[in-house]
């Protein structure tokens, strides 16, 4: 297939995936007035801290199976082999997610005490673990649409999730005055509802088959990616924990608003990142892959750099328009966080080559270096500079 045809295929699927991402990000930004008027900066900071905590737990519990699912699906054209990959991935994810949910419910008080200094927020922690279970299983099933390159079906599932989530969240926060608990419960309700619908839709493909030999092969591929993913989580989320411990939940709330505005950059990258693994692995010729990967890297960085520059310039007006006055200071961190996303976009393209060569044990070297940079800079910069120190640490680590 020619380079133009390959780029056209990637562009088509990225554009469709981008539609779901666009709706998600627009609604996330439009919900900021709701969050900043019905939640205190401390409440919002607690929600974002729990999001960060459950994200790292999901990485550990998945054990690299998500990446292995894509790679092993494209290893064979045999439908039975692909079905075995799907079923093994499904049951492994179900088992580890359920174990994580049980542990989180039992230890919810202790986790709340460790994060926030008291166990009064145990209900928030318990709800966050229900959300973790729903999200892990939902992402496993929607990944099937991605390997099938059925981007329209994937977006339909995403839009249904978003619309249910927004409706339930608004009802819980505004009508029932449930505060941060309403945000967390609302966020997983849509995910859980769509997941149950997908279980019915995929019932003929799913079964009790579990191939232990295949799982061992997938784990050999996927497990070396777990340290890399944890280092990436450290780069992406550890600033919330440093802020909450070194500067308080209020500062996390402000910083998280800046992150939410900067997520306009994530819209561009999420659409691309969703389409990229299946597309990149589907190119059979290594020479064709090299040429395509290089072209994609160049122009992704060009486009995303201009978007980041525009977002940084507009951020004071956007934050003032979307949030209550006590959150306006958040605009200061938007620009560095946007350019951090540009650097991450480059990483997304380049790192696929390691997976293509099945040499995933090398991923942790560069991500580990980035994690070391952000930890050191967070410790050095947050005490004197607060959230701006965290933003500087983030852009330095991603770069």
């Amino acid at each position: 297939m020619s380079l133009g045809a390959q780029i056209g295929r990637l562009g088509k699927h990225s554009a469709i995936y981008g539609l779901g991402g666009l709706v998600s990000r627009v609604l996330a930004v439009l919900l900021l007035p709701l969050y900043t008027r019905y939640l205190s900066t401390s409440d919002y900071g607690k929600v974002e801290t729990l999001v960060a905590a459950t994200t790292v737990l999901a990485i550990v519990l998945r054990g690299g199976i998500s990446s292995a699912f894509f790679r092993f699906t494209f290893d064979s054209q045999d439908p039975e082999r692909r079905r075995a990959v799907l079923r093994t991935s499904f049951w492994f994810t179900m088992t580890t997610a359920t174990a994580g949910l049980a542990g989180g419910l039992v230890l919810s008080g202790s986790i709340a005490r460790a994060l926030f200094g008291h166990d009064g927020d145990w209900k928030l922690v318990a709800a966050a673990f229900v959300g973790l279970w729903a999200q892990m299983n939902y992402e496993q099933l929607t990944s099937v649409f991605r390997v099938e390159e059925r981007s329209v079906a994937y977006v339909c599932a995403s839009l249904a999730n978003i619309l249910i989530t927004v409706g339930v969240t608004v009802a819980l926060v505004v009508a029932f005055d449930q505060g941060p608990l309403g945000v967390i419960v609302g966020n997983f309700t849509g995910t859980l509802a769509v997941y149950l619908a997908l279980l019915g839709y995929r019932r003929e493909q799913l079964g009790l088959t579990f191939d232990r030999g295949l799982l061992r092969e997938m784990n050999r591929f996927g497990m070396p990616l777990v340290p890399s993913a944890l280092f990436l989580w450290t780069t992406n989320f550890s600033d919330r924990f440093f802020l909450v411990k070194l500067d308080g939940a209020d500062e996390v709330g402000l910083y998280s608003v800046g992150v939410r505005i900067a997520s306009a950059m994530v819209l561009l990258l999420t659409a691309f990142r969703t389409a990229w693994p299946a597309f990149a692995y589907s190119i059979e010729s290594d020479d064709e892959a090299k040429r395509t990967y290089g072209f994609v890297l160049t122009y992704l960085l060009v486009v995303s750099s201009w978007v980041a520059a525009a977002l940084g310039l507009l951020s004071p007006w956007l934050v003032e328009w979307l949030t209550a006055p006590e959150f306006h200071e958040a605009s200061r961190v938007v620009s560095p966080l946007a350019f951090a996303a540009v650097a991450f976009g480059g990483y997304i393209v380049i790192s696929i080559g390691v997976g293509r060569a099945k040499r995933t044990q090398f991923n942790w070297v560069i991500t580990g270096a980035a994690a070391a940079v952000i930890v050191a800079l967070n410790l050095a910069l947050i005490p004197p500079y607060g959230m701006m120190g965290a933003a500087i640490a983030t852009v330095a680590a991603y770069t």
Side-chain angles (χ1 to χ4, degrees):
M1 186 181 293
S2 68
L3 175 61
Q6 294 282 16
I7 297 302
R9 183 161 66 96
L10 175 62
K12 181 188 78 171
H13 288 296
S14 294
I16 297 171
Y17 287 131
L19 174 62
L22 176 63
V23 175
S24 174
R25 297 298 168 183
V26 167
L27 286 174
V29 171
L30 291 179
L31 283 173
L32 276 178
L34 173 73
Y35 293 154
T36 59
R37 284 165 176 78
Y38 284 87
L39 304 179
S40 67
T41 53
S42 178
D43 287 339
Y44 194 57
K46 290 175 182 177
V47 171
E48 291 296 315
T49 301
L50 287 170
V51 168
T54 53
T55 300
V56 70
L57 286 172
I59 293 169
V60 174
L61 292 171
R62 285 192 182 103
I65 203 71
S66 301
S67 299
F69 173 68
F70 282 97
R71 187 69 183 92
F72 278 74
T73 296
F74 288 103
D75 262 355
S76 173
Q77 296 298 321
D78 179 18
E80 287 304 314
R81 170 72 172 182
R82 290 190 167 190
R83 189 184 297 269
V85 171
L86 169 60
R87 290 178 174 179
T88 301
S89 302
F90 171 80
W91 285 112
F92 177 82
T93 303
M94 174 68 75
T95 301
T96 57
T98 303
L101 172 61
L105 293 178
V106 171
L107 299 173
S108 57
S110 300
I111 295 170
R113 193 159 46 249
L115 290 176
F116 309 122
H118 57 85
D119 56 9
D121 291 313
W122 69 269
K123 289 183 180 179
L124 291 181
V125 174
F129 273 89
V130 176
L132 169 68
W133 186 92
Q135 189 65 33
M136 285 182 62
N137 287 290
Y138 167 85
E139 288 181 357
Q140 179 58 47
L141 282 190
T142 53
S143 291
V144 183
F145 288 132
R146 293 168 62 190
V147 299
E148 294 169 345
E149 295 197 21
R150 294 175 60 192
S151 47
V152 173
Y154 178 91
V155 168
C156 288
S158 299
L159 291 177
N161 184 356
I162 293 164
L163 292 175
I164 296 171
T165 294
V166 170
V168 174
T169 301
V170 170
L172 289 174
V173 174
V174 177
F176 295 97
D177 194 25
Q178 291 299 303
L181 181 62
V183 174
I184 294 175
V185 173
N187 281 341
F188 73 67
T189 301
T191 304
L192 189 58
V194 176
Y195 169 68
L196 294 175
L198 289 175
L199 276 179
Y201 177 75
R202 295 283 181 186
R203 63 187 181 278
E204 293 183 3
Q205 291 174 280
L206 301 174
L208 296 177
T209 304
F210 186 84
D211 190 326
R212 293 184 180 180
L214 175 60
L215 178 62
R216 285 194 292 270
E217 291 180 44
M218 296 176 75
N219 281 338
R220 277 197 296 272
F221 175 90
M223 287 303 292
L225 293 172
V226 174
S228 180
L230 289 173
F231 288 140
L232 277 176
W233 173 89
T234 301
T235 306
N236 197 29
F237 287 105
S238 65
D239 45 13
R240 277 73 151 185
F241 291 95
F242 283 108
L243 280 169
V244 79
K245 290 299 182 183
L246 299 176
D247 221 333
D250 290 306
E251 193 78 355
V252 180
L254 289 172
Y255 184 73
S256 298
V257 168
V259 171
R260 189 62 62 90
I261 299 295
S263 69
M265 281 298 306
V266 180
L267 163 63
L268 172 67
L269 295 175
T270 298
F272 169 78
R273 192 182 187 186
T274 305
W276 179 242
F279 167 83
Y281 285 134
S282 70
I283 302 174
E284 295 182 2
S285 166
D286 284 344
D287 289 336
E288 187 176 349
K290 290 177 184 178
R291 186 172 67 254
T292 303
Y293 294 3
F295 185 92
V296 170
L297 175 64
T298 299
Y299 288 97
L300 178 70
L301 292 181
V302 168
V303 172
S304 58
S305 292
W306 279 105
V307 174
L311 189 62
L313 290 170
L314 293 172
S315 60
W317 175 78
L318 289 171
V319 173
E320 184 176 350
W321 176 52
L322 290 167
T323 67
E326 59 266 29
F327 287 86
H328 288 178
E329 192 182 352
S331 66
R332 296 191 296 117
V333 300
V334 172
S335 187
L337 291 174
F339 278 98
V342 174
F344 182 60
Y347 168 81
I348 292 170
V349 178
I350 295 171
S351 63
I352 205 73
V354 178
R356 186 181 184 91
K358 292 189 176 181
R359 300 178 70 183
T360 52
Q361 66 271 26
F362 293 104
N363 269 34
W364 65 269
V365 177
I366 190 63
T367 52
V373 167
I374 199 167
V375 168
L377 290 180
N378 275 328
L379 290 171
L381 298 178
I382 287 178
Y385 301 112
M387 64 178 178
M388 182 53 76
I392 293 170
T394 299
V395 71
Y398 274 121
T399 301

